[in-house]
C-alpha cells in the first residue's frame, strides 16, 4: 500500500509540474502573440502594449509558480519524507514565495495585503 501511495505521489507531482510548465509556455505565447497583433494593428501605443504584455507574462509565471509549489509539497510529503527533503522544500518555498511576492508587487504596484484603493 505504501509503495502505491508513493508511486501515485510521484505521478501526481510530475503531472502538476508538467501542467505548470505547459501553462507558463502557453500563456507566454498567448501574451507575445497578442502583443504582436496589437503592435501590427497600431490601435494602441507601444507603452500600453508593453505594460499589458508584462502583466500577462507575470500572471502566467505566478500561476506556474503556484503549481510548482503544489508539486513540491506533494513530492516532499508523500514520496520522500526526510529532514533533508523537508529542509530543501522549505528553502524552495521561501524562494518561490519571495518570487511570488516580488512579481505581485511588480505587476500591481502594491503588496498583496494592501487595499486596492
Amino acid at each position: 500500500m505504501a509503495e502505491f501511495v508513493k508511486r501515485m505521489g510521484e505521478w501526481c507531482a510530475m503531472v502538476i509540474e508538467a501542467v505548470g510548465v505547459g501553462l507558463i509556455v502557453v500563456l507566454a505565447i498567448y501574451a507575445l502573440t497578442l502583443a504582436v497583433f496589437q503592435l501590427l494593428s497600431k490601435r494602441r501605443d507601444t507603452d500600453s502594449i508593453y505594460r499589458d504584455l508584462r502583466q500577462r507574462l507575470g500572471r502566467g509565471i505566478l500561476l506556474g509558480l503556484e503549481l510548482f509549489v503544489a508539486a513540491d509539497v506533494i513530492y516532499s510529503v508523500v514520496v520522500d519524507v526526510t529532514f533533508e527533503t523537508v529542509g530543501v522544500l522549505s528553502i524552495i518555498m521561501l524562494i518561490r514565495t519571495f518570487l511570488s511576492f516580488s512579481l505581485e508587487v511588480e505587476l500591481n504596484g502594491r503588496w498583496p495585503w494592501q487595499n486596492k484603493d
Side-chain angles (χ1 to χ4, degrees):
M1 180 67 173
E3 190 62 32
F4 174 75
V5 172
K6 186 176 181 178
R7 290 191 191 276
M8 284 301 294
E10 288 175 344
W11 184 81
C12 287
M14 285 190 322
V15 167
I16 292 171
E17 284 178 344
V19 169
V21 169
L23 194 62
I24 291 173
V25 169
V26 166
L27 290 175
I29 291 171
Y30 167 74
L32 290 169
T33 304
L34 187 61
V36 167
F37 282 126
Q38 288 175 345
L39 279 172
L40 294 176
S41 68
K42 297 185 182 191
R43 293 184 187 155
R44 297 173 56 200
D45 63 303
T46 56
D47 288 340
S48 66
I49 294 171
Y50 173 73
R51 279 192 304 274
D52 287 348
L53 173 63
R54 287 190 63 202
Q55 289 278 323
R56 286 186 180 92
L57 285 173
R59 287 190 178 112
I61 292 169
L62 272 173
L63 194 53
L65 276 173
E66 295 296 329
L67 290 171
F68 293 150
V69 167
D72 286 339
V73 168
I74 290 171
Y75 186 81
S76 295
V77 171
V78 174
V79 176
D80 194 19
V81 183
T82 64
F83 282 116
E84 183 179 341
T85 58
V86 171
V88 170
L89 175 64
S90 299
I91 292 169
I92 290 171
M93 296 290 276
L94 283 172
I95 292 169
R96 289 188 177 162
T97 301
F98 174 75
L99 287 173
S100 294
F101 278 125
S102 298
L103 280 169
E104 184 73 29
V105 170
E106 181 71 25
L107 292 173
N108 297 321
R110 61 180 173 75
W111 293 104
W113 55 83
Q114 288 178 319
N115 292 334
K116 292 184 179 184
D117 300 332

Short mmCIF file of all heavy atoms in Angstrom, two decimals, residues 5-55:
data_model
loop_
_atom_site.label_atom_id
_atom_site.label_comp_id
_atom_site.label_asym_id
_atom_site.label_seq_id
_atom_site.Cartn_x
_atom_site.Cartn_y
_atom_site.Cartn_z
N VAL A 5 1.01 4.44 -2.78
CA VAL A 5 0.86 5.86 -2.45
C VAL A 5 2.09 6.63 -2.92
O VAL A 5 1.97 7.74 -3.46
CB VAL A 5 0.63 6.04 -0.93
CG1 VAL A 5 0.68 7.50 -0.54
CG2 VAL A 5 -0.69 5.42 -0.51
N LYS A 6 3.26 6.03 -2.75
CA LYS A 6 4.49 6.70 -3.19
C LYS A 6 4.49 6.90 -4.71
O LYS A 6 4.81 7.98 -5.20
CB LYS A 6 5.69 5.86 -2.76
CG LYS A 6 7.01 6.51 -3.03
CD LYS A 6 8.14 5.66 -2.47
CE LYS A 6 9.47 6.32 -2.71
NZ LYS A 6 10.58 5.55 -2.15
N ARG A 7 4.10 5.88 -5.44
CA ARG A 7 4.05 5.99 -6.91
C ARG A 7 2.99 6.99 -7.36
O ARG A 7 3.21 7.76 -8.31
CB ARG A 7 3.79 4.63 -7.54
CG ARG A 7 4.96 3.69 -7.43
CD ARG A 7 4.74 2.46 -8.32
NE ARG A 7 5.72 1.45 -8.02
CZ ARG A 7 6.94 1.42 -8.55
NH1 ARG A 7 7.32 2.37 -9.37
NH2 ARG A 7 7.77 0.45 -8.25
N MET A 8 1.85 7.01 -6.70
CA MET A 8 0.80 7.97 -7.03
C MET A 8 1.28 9.40 -6.74
O MET A 8 0.99 10.32 -7.50
CB MET A 8 -0.49 7.68 -6.26
CG MET A 8 -1.27 6.51 -6.81
SD MET A 8 -1.77 6.72 -8.53
CE MET A 8 -2.91 8.07 -8.37
N GLY A 9 1.99 9.57 -5.62
CA GLY A 9 2.53 10.88 -5.30
C GLY A 9 3.53 11.36 -6.34
O GLY A 9 3.51 12.53 -6.75
N GLU A 10 4.42 10.47 -6.76
CA GLU A 10 5.38 10.82 -7.81
C GLU A 10 4.67 11.20 -9.10
O GLU A 10 5.00 12.20 -9.73
CB GLU A 10 6.32 9.64 -8.09
CG GLU A 10 7.33 9.38 -7.01
CD GLU A 10 8.16 8.13 -7.29
OE1 GLU A 10 7.75 7.30 -8.15
OE2 GLU A 10 9.21 7.99 -6.65
N TRP A 11 3.69 10.39 -9.47
CA TRP A 11 2.94 10.64 -10.69
C TRP A 11 2.21 11.98 -10.62
O TRP A 11 2.25 12.78 -11.56
CB TRP A 11 1.97 9.49 -10.95
CG TRP A 11 1.24 9.64 -12.25
CD1 TRP A 11 1.69 9.32 -13.49
CD2 TRP A 11 -0.06 10.18 -12.42
NE1 TRP A 11 0.74 9.61 -14.44
CE2 TRP A 11 -0.36 10.15 -13.80
CE3 TRP A 11 -1.02 10.69 -11.55
CZ2 TRP A 11 -1.56 10.60 -14.32
CZ3 TRP A 11 -2.22 11.12 -12.07
CH2 TRP A 11 -2.48 11.09 -13.44
N CYS A 12 1.51 12.22 -9.52
CA CYS A 12 0.77 13.47 -9.36
C CYS A 12 1.70 14.69 -9.39
O CYS A 12 1.39 15.70 -10.03
CB CYS A 12 -0.01 13.47 -8.04
SG CYS A 12 -1.44 12.40 -8.06
N ALA A 13 2.84 14.59 -8.72
CA ALA A 13 3.80 15.70 -8.72
C ALA A 13 4.31 15.97 -10.13
O ALA A 13 4.42 17.14 -10.55
CB ALA A 13 4.96 15.39 -7.77
N MET A 14 4.61 14.91 -10.88
CA MET A 14 5.09 15.09 -12.25
C MET A 14 4.03 15.72 -13.13
O MET A 14 4.32 16.61 -13.94
CB MET A 14 5.55 13.77 -12.85
CG MET A 14 6.89 13.30 -12.32
SD MET A 14 7.60 11.89 -13.21
CE MET A 14 6.23 10.85 -13.58
N VAL A 15 2.78 15.28 -12.98
CA VAL A 15 1.70 15.83 -13.80
C VAL A 15 1.49 17.31 -13.48
O VAL A 15 1.35 18.15 -14.38
CB VAL A 15 0.39 15.03 -13.59
CG1 VAL A 15 -0.81 15.75 -14.17
CG2 VAL A 15 0.53 13.64 -14.20
N ILE A 16 1.48 17.65 -12.19
CA ILE A 16 1.29 19.05 -11.80
C ILE A 16 2.44 19.92 -12.29
O ILE A 16 2.22 21.04 -12.77
CB ILE A 16 1.09 19.16 -10.28
CG1 ILE A 16 -0.23 18.51 -9.88
CG2 ILE A 16 1.13 20.60 -9.82
CD1 ILE A 16 -0.43 18.37 -8.38
N GLU A 17 3.67 19.43 -12.21
CA GLU A 17 4.81 20.18 -12.74
C GLU A 17 4.69 20.37 -14.25
O GLU A 17 4.96 21.46 -14.77
CB GLU A 17 6.11 19.49 -12.40
CG GLU A 17 6.53 19.65 -10.97
CD GLU A 17 7.82 18.90 -10.64
OE1 GLU A 17 8.23 18.02 -11.42
OE2 GLU A 17 8.41 19.22 -9.60
N ALA A 18 4.28 19.33 -14.96
CA ALA A 18 4.12 19.43 -16.41
C ALA A 18 3.03 20.43 -16.77
O ALA A 18 3.19 21.22 -17.72
CB ALA A 18 3.79 18.06 -17.01
N VAL A 19 1.94 20.42 -16.02
CA VAL A 19 0.87 21.40 -16.26
C VAL A 19 1.38 22.81 -16.00
O VAL A 19 1.07 23.74 -16.75
CB VAL A 19 -0.37 21.07 -15.39
CG1 VAL A 19 -1.38 22.21 -15.42
CG2 VAL A 19 -1.01 19.77 -15.84
N GLY A 20 2.18 22.98 -14.95
CA GLY A 20 2.75 24.29 -14.64
C GLY A 20 3.65 24.80 -15.76
O GLY A 20 3.54 25.96 -16.18
N VAL A 21 4.51 23.94 -16.25
CA VAL A 21 5.40 24.34 -17.36
C VAL A 21 4.57 24.65 -18.60
O VAL A 21 4.78 25.68 -19.26
CB VAL A 21 6.42 23.21 -17.67
CG1 VAL A 21 7.16 23.48 -18.97
CG2 VAL A 21 7.40 23.07 -16.52
N GLY A 22 3.62 23.78 -18.92
CA GLY A 22 2.78 24.00 -20.09
C GLY A 22 1.99 25.29 -20.00
O GLY A 22 1.85 26.03 -20.97
N LEU A 23 1.48 25.57 -18.81
CA LEU A 23 0.71 26.79 -18.60
C LEU A 23 1.57 28.03 -18.81
O LEU A 23 1.13 28.98 -19.48
CB LEU A 23 0.13 26.78 -17.18
CG LEU A 23 -0.96 27.78 -16.87
CD1 LEU A 23 -2.16 27.54 -17.76
CD2 LEU A 23 -1.35 27.66 -15.42
N ILE A 24 2.77 28.03 -18.28
CA ILE A 24 3.66 29.17 -18.47
C ILE A 24 3.97 29.35 -19.96
O ILE A 24 3.93 30.47 -20.47
CB ILE A 24 4.96 29.00 -17.65
CG1 ILE A 24 4.66 29.13 -16.16
CG2 ILE A 24 5.99 30.04 -18.07
CD1 ILE A 24 5.83 28.80 -15.27
N VAL A 25 4.26 28.27 -20.66
CA VAL A 25 4.59 28.36 -22.08
C VAL A 25 3.40 28.86 -22.89
O VAL A 25 3.53 29.78 -23.71
CB VAL A 25 5.08 26.99 -22.61
CG1 VAL A 25 5.18 26.98 -24.13
CG2 VAL A 25 6.42 26.62 -21.99
N VAL A 26 2.22 28.29 -22.65
CA VAL A 26 1.03 28.69 -23.40
C VAL A 26 0.69 30.15 -23.14
O VAL A 26 0.39 30.91 -24.08
CB VAL A 26 -0.16 27.76 -23.06
CG1 VAL A 26 -1.47 28.33 -23.56
CG2 VAL A 26 0.06 26.38 -23.64
N LEU A 27 0.73 30.56 -21.89
CA LEU A 27 0.40 31.96 -21.57
C LEU A 27 1.45 32.93 -22.11
O LEU A 27 1.11 34.04 -22.52
CB LEU A 27 0.21 32.13 -20.07
CG LEU A 27 -1.07 31.46 -19.52
CD1 LEU A 27 -1.12 31.57 -18.00
CD2 LEU A 27 -2.30 32.06 -20.14
N ALA A 28 2.70 32.52 -22.14
CA ALA A 28 3.75 33.37 -22.72
C ALA A 28 3.53 33.52 -24.23
O ALA A 28 3.64 34.63 -24.77
CB ALA A 28 5.12 32.79 -22.43
N ILE A 29 3.23 32.43 -24.91
CA ILE A 29 2.97 32.50 -26.35
C ILE A 29 1.74 33.36 -26.63
O ILE A 29 1.74 34.20 -27.54
CB ILE A 29 2.81 31.08 -26.94
CG1 ILE A 29 4.16 30.36 -26.92
CG2 ILE A 29 2.24 31.13 -28.35
CD1 ILE A 29 4.08 28.89 -27.27
N TYR A 30 0.71 33.18 -25.81
CA TYR A 30 -0.52 33.99 -25.96
C TYR A 30 -0.20 35.48 -25.78
O TYR A 30 -0.62 36.30 -26.59
CB TYR A 30 -1.57 33.53 -24.96
CG TYR A 30 -2.72 34.49 -24.82
CD1 TYR A 30 -3.69 34.60 -25.82
CD2 TYR A 30 -2.84 35.31 -23.70
CE1 TYR A 30 -4.73 35.48 -25.70
CE2 TYR A 30 -3.89 36.19 -23.57
CZ TYR A 30 -4.84 36.28 -24.57
OH TYR A 30 -5.87 37.16 -24.44
N ALA A 31 0.52 35.80 -24.72
CA ALA A 31 0.83 37.20 -24.44
C ALA A 31 1.67 37.81 -25.56
O ALA A 31 1.42 38.95 -25.99
CB ALA A 31 1.55 37.32 -23.10
N LEU A 32 2.67 37.08 -26.01
CA LEU A 32 3.53 37.60 -27.08
C LEU A 32 2.77 37.74 -28.40
O LEU A 32 2.93 38.73 -29.12
CB LEU A 32 4.74 36.69 -27.26
CG LEU A 32 5.75 36.73 -26.12
CD1 LEU A 32 6.77 35.60 -26.28
CD2 LEU A 32 6.45 38.08 -26.08
N THR A 33 1.93 36.76 -28.73
CA THR A 33 1.14 36.83 -29.96
C THR A 33 0.18 38.01 -29.93
O THR A 33 0.06 38.75 -30.91
CB THR A 33 0.36 35.51 -30.16
OG1 THR A 33 1.29 34.42 -30.16
CG2 THR A 33 -0.41 35.52 -31.47
N LEU A 34 -0.49 38.18 -28.80
CA LEU A 34 -1.42 39.29 -28.66
C LEU A 34 -0.68 40.63 -28.80
O LEU A 34 -1.17 41.55 -29.47
CB LEU A 34 -2.14 39.21 -27.32
CG LEU A 34 -3.26 40.22 -27.09
CD1 LEU A 34 -4.37 40.05 -28.12
CD2 LEU A 34 -3.81 40.07 -25.68
N ALA A 35 0.48 40.74 -28.19
CA ALA A 35 1.26 41.97 -28.29
C ALA A 35 1.69 42.25 -29.73
O ALA A 35 1.64 43.39 -30.18
CB ALA A 35 2.48 41.89 -27.38
N VAL A 36 2.09 41.21 -30.44
CA VAL A 36 2.50 41.40 -31.85
C VAL A 36 1.31 41.88 -32.67
O VAL A 36 1.43 42.81 -33.48
CB VAL A 36 3.09 40.10 -32.43
CG1 VAL A 36 3.23 40.17 -33.94
CG2 VAL A 36 4.45 39.81 -31.79
N PHE A 37 0.13 41.25 -32.50
CA PHE A 37 -1.05 41.69 -33.24
C PHE A 37 -1.43 43.13 -32.89
O PHE A 37 -1.82 43.89 -33.77
CB PHE A 37 -2.23 40.75 -32.98
CG PHE A 37 -2.16 39.48 -33.77
CD1 PHE A 37 -2.25 38.26 -33.13
CD2 PHE A 37 -2.01 39.48 -35.15
CE1 PHE A 37 -2.18 37.08 -33.83
CE2 PHE A 37 -1.94 38.31 -35.87
CZ PHE A 37 -2.02 37.10 -35.22
N GLN A 38 -1.31 43.49 -31.63
CA GLN A 38 -1.62 44.85 -31.24
C GLN A 38 -0.62 45.85 -31.83
O GLN A 38 -0.99 46.95 -32.23
CB GLN A 38 -1.66 44.98 -29.72
CG GLN A 38 -2.87 44.32 -29.10
CD GLN A 38 -2.84 44.34 -27.59
OE1 GLN A 38 -1.80 44.59 -26.98
NE2 GLN A 38 -3.97 44.06 -26.98
N LEU A 39 0.65 45.45 -31.88
CA LEU A 39 1.66 46.32 -32.50
C LEU A 39 1.40 46.50 -33.99
O LEU A 39 1.53 47.60 -34.53
CB LEU A 39 3.06 45.75 -32.29
CG LEU A 39 3.71 46.02 -30.96
CD1 LEU A 39 5.01 45.22 -30.83
CD2 LEU A 39 3.99 47.50 -30.78
N LEU A 40 1.03 45.41 -34.66
CA LEU A 40 0.79 45.48 -36.10
C LEU A 40 -0.47 46.27 -36.43
O LEU A 40 -0.54 46.94 -37.47
CB LEU A 40 0.70 44.08 -36.69
CG LEU A 40 2.01 43.27 -36.65
CD1 LEU A 40 1.78 41.86 -37.18
CD2 LEU A 40 3.09 43.98 -37.45
N SER A 41 -1.49 46.20 -35.57
CA SER A 41 -2.73 46.93 -35.84
C SER A 41 -2.59 48.42 -35.50
O SER A 41 -3.38 49.22 -35.98
CB SER A 41 -3.88 46.34 -35.05
OG SER A 41 -3.71 46.57 -33.66
N LYS A 42 -1.63 48.76 -34.68
CA LYS A 42 -1.32 50.15 -34.30
C LYS A 42 -2.53 50.89 -33.74
O LYS A 42 -2.70 52.08 -33.93
CB LYS A 42 -0.73 50.92 -35.48
CG LYS A 42 0.58 50.33 -35.94
CD LYS A 42 1.21 51.16 -37.01
CE LYS A 42 2.50 50.47 -37.45
NZ LYS A 42 3.32 51.28 -38.27
N ARG A 43 -3.38 50.17 -33.02
CA ARG A 43 -4.53 50.81 -32.38
C ARG A 43 -4.17 51.39 -31.02
O ARG A 43 -4.90 52.20 -30.48
CB ARG A 43 -5.67 49.80 -32.20
CG ARG A 43 -6.28 49.36 -33.50
CD ARG A 43 -7.44 48.45 -33.26
NE ARG A 43 -7.90 47.92 -34.53
CZ ARG A 43 -8.55 46.80 -34.67
NH1 ARG A 43 -8.84 46.07 -33.62
NH2 ARG A 43 -8.93 46.39 -35.86
N ARG A 44 -3.06 50.93 -30.48
CA ARG A 44 -2.64 51.39 -29.15
C ARG A 44 -1.17 51.79 -29.21
O ARG A 44 -0.42 51.36 -30.08
CB ARG A 44 -2.82 50.27 -28.12
CG ARG A 44 -4.27 49.86 -27.96
CD ARG A 44 -4.44 48.65 -27.09
NE ARG A 44 -3.84 48.85 -25.78
CZ ARG A 44 -3.51 47.87 -24.96
NH1 ARG A 44 -3.71 46.63 -25.32
NH2 ARG A 44 -2.99 48.12 -23.79
N ASP A 45 -0.77 52.58 -28.21
CA ASP A 45 0.63 53.00 -28.18
C ASP A 45 1.49 51.86 -27.62
O ASP A 45 1.01 50.97 -26.92
CB ASP A 45 0.80 54.27 -27.36
CG ASP A 45 0.41 54.08 -25.91
OD1 ASP A 45 -0.73 53.67 -25.64
OD2 ASP A 45 1.26 54.33 -25.05
N THR A 46 2.77 51.89 -27.94
CA THR A 46 3.67 50.80 -27.56
C THR A 46 3.85 50.69 -26.06
O THR A 46 4.06 49.58 -25.55
CB THR A 46 5.04 50.97 -28.24
OG1 THR A 46 5.58 52.24 -27.91
CG2 THR A 46 4.93 50.83 -29.74
N ASP A 47 3.77 51.78 -25.33
CA ASP A 47 3.92 51.71 -23.87
C ASP A 47 2.81 50.90 -23.22
O ASP A 47 3.05 50.08 -22.34
CB ASP A 47 3.96 53.12 -23.25
CG ASP A 47 5.25 53.85 -23.56
OD1 ASP A 47 6.25 53.17 -23.90
OD2 ASP A 47 5.26 55.09 -23.46
N SER A 48 1.57 51.10 -23.65
CA SER A 48 0.47 50.34 -23.06
C SER A 48 0.52 48.87 -23.49
O SER A 48 0.19 47.98 -22.70
CB SER A 48 -0.88 50.96 -23.42
OG SER A 48 -1.13 50.87 -24.80
N ILE A 49 0.95 48.61 -24.71
CA ILE A 49 1.11 47.22 -25.16
C ILE A 49 2.19 46.54 -24.33
O ILE A 49 2.02 45.39 -23.90
CB ILE A 49 1.45 47.17 -26.67
CG1 ILE A 49 0.27 47.68 -27.49
CG2 ILE A 49 1.84 45.76 -27.09
CD1 ILE A 49 0.58 47.87 -28.96
N TYR A 50 3.29 47.23 -24.08
CA TYR A 50 4.37 46.67 -23.27
C TYR A 50 3.91 46.38 -21.85
O TYR A 50 4.19 45.32 -21.29
CB TYR A 50 5.55 47.64 -23.26
CG TYR A 50 6.67 47.25 -22.33
CD1 TYR A 50 7.50 46.19 -22.64
CD2 TYR A 50 6.88 47.94 -21.14
CE1 TYR A 50 8.53 45.81 -21.79
CE2 TYR A 50 7.90 47.57 -20.29
CZ TYR A 50 8.72 46.51 -20.62
OH TYR A 50 9.72 46.14 -19.76
N ARG A 51 3.15 47.31 -21.25
CA ARG A 51 2.64 47.10 -19.88
C ARG A 51 1.71 45.89 -19.83
O ARG A 51 1.78 45.07 -18.92
CB ARG A 51 1.94 48.35 -19.37
CG ARG A 51 2.88 49.41 -18.83
CD ARG A 51 2.14 50.50 -18.09
NE ARG A 51 1.11 51.13 -18.89
CZ ARG A 51 1.32 52.14 -19.73
NH1 ARG A 51 2.52 52.64 -19.87
NH2 ARG A 51 0.32 52.66 -20.42
N ASP A 52 0.81 45.78 -20.83
CA ASP A 52 -0.10 44.64 -20.87
C ASP A 52 0.65 43.32 -21.06
O ASP A 52 0.31 42.31 -20.45
CB ASP A 52 -1.12 44.81 -21.98
CG ASP A 52 -2.17 45.85 -21.66
OD1 ASP A 52 -2.25 46.27 -20.48
OD2 ASP A 52 -2.92 46.23 -22.58
N LEU A 53 1.68 43.35 -21.89
CA LEU A 53 2.49 42.15 -22.11
C LEU A 53 3.16 41.70 -20.81
O LEU A 53 3.12 40.53 -20.45
CB LEU A 53 3.55 42.41 -23.19
CG LEU A 53 4.58 41.31 -23.42
CD1 LEU A 53 3.91 40.04 -23.93
CD2 LEU A 53 5.64 41.78 -24.41
N ARG A 54 3.74 42.66 -20.09
CA ARG A 54 4.37 42.33 -18.80
C ARG A 54 3.36 41.79 -17.80
O ARG A 54 3.65 40.85 -17.06
CB ARG A 54 5.07 43.56 -18.23
CG ARG A 54 6.33 43.89 -18.98
CD ARG A 54 7.13 44.94 -18.29
NE ARG A 54 7.56 44.44 -17.00
CZ ARG A 54 7.90 45.20 -15.98
NH1 ARG A 54 7.86 46.50 -16.09
NH2 ARG A 54 8.29 44.68 -14.85
N GLN A 55 2.17 42.37 -17.78
CA GLN A 55 1.12 41.90 -16.86
C GLN A 55 0.75 40.45 -17.19
O GLN A 55 0.66 39.62 -16.29
CB GLN A 55 -0.13 42.79 -16.98
CG GLN A 55 0.02 44.17 -16.41
CD GLN A 55 -0.18 44.17 -14.92
OE1 GLN A 55 -1.01 43.45 -14.39
NE2 GLN A 55 0.59 44.99 -14.23
#
